Structure formats: structure tokens, C-alpha cells
Amino acid sequence: MRSSAATCLTHASGRPRCYPSPALAYASLHECALDLERTGQLVRVAQPIDPHLAMAEIQRRLYQVQGPALLFERVEGSPFPALCNLYGTLDRCRFLFRDALVGVQQAIAVKADPTLALRAPWRYWRLPFTGLRSLPRRVRGGPVLAGQTTIAALPQIKSWPDDGGPFITLPQVYSEDPRDPRPMRSNLGMYRVQLGGNDYAADEIGMHYQIHRGIGIHHAAARERGEPLKVSVFVGGPPAHAFAAVMPLPEGLSELVFAGMLARRRVRLAERDGFRVAADADFCIVGTIDPDRTKPEGPFGDHLGYYSLRHEFPVMKVHAVWHRRDAIWPFTVVGRPPQEDTSFGKLIHELTTPMVPVSVPGLRSMHAVDAAGVHPLLLALGSERYVPYRPDRPQELLTIANALLGFNQASLAKYLIIAAGEDDRALDPADELGFLQHVLARVDWTRDLHFQTKTTMDTLDYLGSGLNAGSKLVIAARGPAQRTLARERPSELGLPEGFAGVELAMPGVLTIGGPGFAQPEQGYASAESLARALEGQLDRLAGIMLIVLVDEPAFAARTLNNFLWVSFTRSNPSHDVHGVGATIEHKHWGCTGPLILDARIKPWHAPPLIEDAKVSKQVDALAAKGGPLHGLF
């Protein structure tokens, strides 16, 4: 039951504005925005702002300084206000869900390990009631059905100069299995939606999702039945709803139930014209996807820090666009990490930690490296309980690694580096620098490299042999330290012609500048020439375990984030891993000297994201003294 306690202020229009008391569940994004404003965590901008690049750059700058949420009251070309940086800090995310986090953590823990409730019933006795109060609820109507609009009237926010058009960046895409269409068997996912550009008609939007995703199962079922797939795209609503759409949940836990738990308010679903509608959303776009019809979607500036290019993806025929009277359009911007979705990742890690040890036996913890674009690099800590009197080589670690590469979103990892927890009880994969140094001090390059070639890859990674095609590399390290890592750059290192610039990126790791990677034959040959040139200089390379071949060695070595981004987003293990003193023993590749990772930009690599200089100057002016953004960044 909702309390009537509230703080009411008067808007400039004369209408009262009431703020919910701090302990209430938000019934709408409007209520949430008012609560953030009441607590000094939201700022309004009354001046009209261009949604073409400017609003996105403002959001990026706000996030970089961990600034407040920002409500653009006047968006050029649209009657609807827009809200950004809602999830811009981890503290603000915790604030939004402050009354629900403990209960949600308990629910996830018990879902992962049901025996917890039996072992400590006094701790979990509320869970059954929480679950019942979180079930989706069917209603006859709702605020979202107050008005109708068009796709063109929505805020047309374009984030990066070469994006194919405006996108919805915080969508909740809802679909049901056509074989059993009911909410508890639905899928709610955050798949990007292109609002315009390319050759979309006025009543069409692009739907970018990989076929293995939850909606892909529904797509395949509709195709098998020869019928269109009904889809609803919810935008806004209580902030828990967007978070539920991106949350990797345990099998059998509905996103709608999770959203109800996190919002402390049941998701209310109505039906209109045969489509499911989230009653409390700010906007709802409904329509159908012809299972056999596609159109070019993209480019789109993505979370690896590069554009994902134009490809054929499903297209949705729009039936209607509904909205609330007080509708607010929430948006974010993705790009080279860290960005606002980094906050999502951190909170997800906090909530899902109990799932890890029971989901993959022997796994203690894992950490997807945000600075490397999340999926390209996964660090993991495992147990080594196989044959305890043979502690000289990884054993159970390899079993755990294989399980991880088939587990949920971890299956998208390109590089998986795993260490044994028994070797250092304080080791934490989230300490990226410490973890990498621990591994490099122990790894044996002749034994501890395990490749998967010609395998599936993340759609957004363009370093493989084709779309969704590439390779993976597992590096497993176990045992006592075998060496002391070099902490100084080697002097007088002889390099082949075209190579210049040697920097120490971290203990045991060098970045070396190489000639531009022109064609595959020439590029791979130049990396091998570096390996051959270094074979006679192993004495100078004492304590150096990894050499990363790059275009700009000083940039790559300047910060840990730069190093991680360049190294793991610009390389494909099967093609770009070389080694000094390379060997092949019964099809197992290794090397006796330092490992060489070729992280130069390749001709087929998607272009990196760069701001528009003219727009940057416009934003500078808005932030100058006397401007509407002064003092925010």
C-alpha cells in the first residue's frame, strides 16, 4: 500500500509537483525524476537542445565527472522531454533501488542454491511473500495509453557522427513465445532499436538482436509457424524495468518477476489491439516482425569503442506508439568504456555474485573487464582440487574454463584468463593489474595457452574471420611464482626496420610500435619478423612475458585502461598471437620466450568512435559561464 506522505512543490506552470517519500516504490519515471531532484541528484535544462549529437556528448561528459541526472525539458523536434545519466553512478543506482537490493540478492542466491533457505530459514522467510508480490499483474488499462504519437515525434537522439540514425538506447523489448503466449514465458531484453535513417519507412524501426538471444527463440518459433512475431518496445517506466531488461538472470527467473522485486511494485500489463502493453511505461511501441524480412541496420557506436557496421537485421512494422501524459524519454550513450552502462555492470556483479560458485562448480569468482569492452576479456578465479600432489600444472582450471565458455554471457569471452585461488587467498579478478601480474609471474607459455579456432564470436567484434566468427584463447596459470617481472624498459633492444618505440605498460609487459598493418600477408609477416629478431635477445628480455604490438605504444602504455582496450579489442587470438621461440608439439602451440600480441588496427577493423569537433565546441559554449550547463562538467 502506498503512503500518502509526500513533498509538494509548485511548477513554473502553476501545477503542483509532488515528491514521493524516500521509502516508496516508484510508480513511474516521473516520480523517480522528482525524487532525484528533491535529493539534489537531478538538474533541469530549460533551453532547447539539439538531439543530433549534442545531447549525447553532454551525457558522456556528465558521466565522466560522475555528475547528476539531467532532464532536457525541451528537445528540438520533439514534444517530449528526455532524461539522461539516470544510472550514471553506482551510488545513484543503489539509491534508486535502495529498499529492494537486499531482498533481490536473497532471491538470486536462493534461486542459485535452494538449500540456503533450508539452512537459514530465519533469514529467507520473507522470500515467498516477496515472490508472490512480484508476479506480473494484468490490468485493463494504464497511464501509457493516455495518448498516441508517431515514431518521428519521439526524441531523435543520435549519439555518434557516423551512426546510421537515431536509436533507442534504453529499450525494453518484450516478446512472447507464439506457441505459449503468456507473460511468465515472455522475454524482456535490451536490444538496440533504430528509429530512423537507412531505408526505414515512417512506420518501421530496426531491431538488432542476435538469434541466440531470448527473443531469437520466439523469432524462430514464429518463423516455424509461418506467422509474424508480435513485439512491444517499452521505454521508461519505473527504473527497475530497464535494469531487468539487461540483467542476466538464472534460468527460470522471469525478467518481469525480477523487475517487480527490484521496483517493489508488480509489473502491470494491459492488452490493446492484441499487443501486450506495460501500463506504467512512458512509451510503448507495438508492432510485428516478419520472420523472413530484414533491412540494413546500423552503423552504431557500440560499447567496444568502435562502430558496429551495417548488417541485415529484423525490421518491425509499427502498429501504434502510445505514451503517458507526463512521459519522459530516457536515454544513454554507449562507447569506449567506461560509460553509463558500466554502472549497470557493477550493480549486476554485486547482485549475481551468489550465482557464480553454484552455477559453475569450482569457480570462485569472475570479472568481465569493462575497460576491454566487457566480452573481449574475462578474468576468473577457480579451485584446483585435482590430484593435489601434482600442483605443477593447471588441471581443474581447464575444466572450469570450458564450462565458463558455455555459461550465459561468459560464452562471449574472447580471452579468458584463469588462475588458482589456492595460490593467493587474497587474489581478486576485479583487481585487474594485480591479477594480470599474478598470472604473468606463473604462466608457462609452452603449456598454458589453449586455443579455440573457427568458433562463434560476439557479433560486435570485427577482428575475427567474419561476422560472428573468430577464435578464443584460454590462459590458465597455477602454482608458485616462477619469475620476477621486469619493472624497467630494456635498453638497446634491437628491432627490425619499421618498428620503433618501446614502452613498459606494466611489470613484465612491453608495448612496441610497429609498421601500419596493411594487408594480412604483410601484417602477419611483420609480427613474425619481430619474433625472430627478438630470439637472440632473450637476455635483454629477462622478466618480460608479454609484448603488445601497437600503432601508438605511448598511448597504449599510458594507463591500464588504454592498455586493456587496445590489447583485447584489436586482436583475434588465432591470427594475432605470436611468440618468441614458437613451437608446436602434437598440435599444441606455445613459445619459449615472450608472447607477442598483435594489437595494431587492421584494415577490416570497424572505425573507432570520435566526437564531432563542431558539436564539441557547441557543448563547450553551453557549459561556459552563463550557459545552461555551467558548473555541471
Side-chain angles (χ1 to χ4, degrees), residues 156-342:
Q156 304 291 301
I157 298 171
K158 184 175 177 180
S159 298
W160 295 98
D162 292 332
D163 279 356
F167 285 80
I168 306 177
T169 50
L170 285 174
Q172 306 152 45
V173 181
Y174 178 92
S175 63
E176 295 178 354
D177 190 330
R179 298 164 297 191
D180 185 11
R182 51 194 173 98
M184 287 302 291
R185 288 182 59 83
S186 66
N187 177 75
L188 188 71
M190 191 169 285
Y191 315 119
R192 76 178 188 235
V193 178
Q194 186 167 349
L195 285 176
N198 295 348
D199 60 347
Y200 295 119
D203 61 348
E204 293 178 338
I205 57 177
M207 302 288 292
H208 179 112
Y209 57 84
Q210 290 82 54
I211 296 302
H212 74 280
R213 302 288 187 174
I215 191 175
I217 297 172
H218 298 166
H219 184 133
R223 190 163 188 254
E224 187 177 313
R225 294 162 64 93
E227 63 186 42
L229 178 67
K230 292 182 177 180
V231 174
S232 302
V233 180
F234 311 142
V235 181
H241 293 191
F243 189 80
V246 77
M247 182 78 177
L249 295 172
E251 192 70 27
L253 181 55
S254 162
E255 291 93 357
L256 298 181
V257 173
F258 177 82
M261 287 184 181
L262 193 58
R264 297 183 69 242
R265 189 173 190 272
R266 298 169 69 179
V267 174
R268 303 193 308 153
L269 294 174
E271 191 170 324
R272 182 61 57 94
D273 299 344
F275 293 94
R276 206 76 73 179
V277 173
D280 295 319
D282 286 70
F283 299 86
C284 184
I285 306 169
V286 300
T288 55
I289 292 175
D290 183 333
D292 294 311
R293 183 167 176 256
T294 62
K295 279 193 173 185
E297 184 267 358
F300 178 74
D302 227 312
H303 67 266
L304 269 68
Y306 309 92
Y307 287 98
S308 58
L309 305 180
R310 279 169 59 116
H311 297 287
E312 293 289 323
F313 275 96
V315 59
M316 175 173 159
K317 182 78 170 178
V318 175
H319 171 78
V321 183
W322 284 293
H323 67 88
R324 303 173 63 105
R325 286 193 178 88
D326 57 357
I328 297 173
W329 183 265
F331 75 95
T332 188
V333 183
V334 292
R336 182 192 161 184
Q339 300 288 345
E340 187 177 1
D341 53 356
T342 298

Side-chain angles (χ1 to χ4, degrees), residues 101-112 124 127 130 250 253 261:
L101 287 177
V102 172
V104 169
Q105 285 175 319
Q106 289 184 343
I108 291 175
V110 170
K111 184 66 180 177
Y124 299 99
L127 275 183
T130 301
L253 181 55
M261 287 184 181

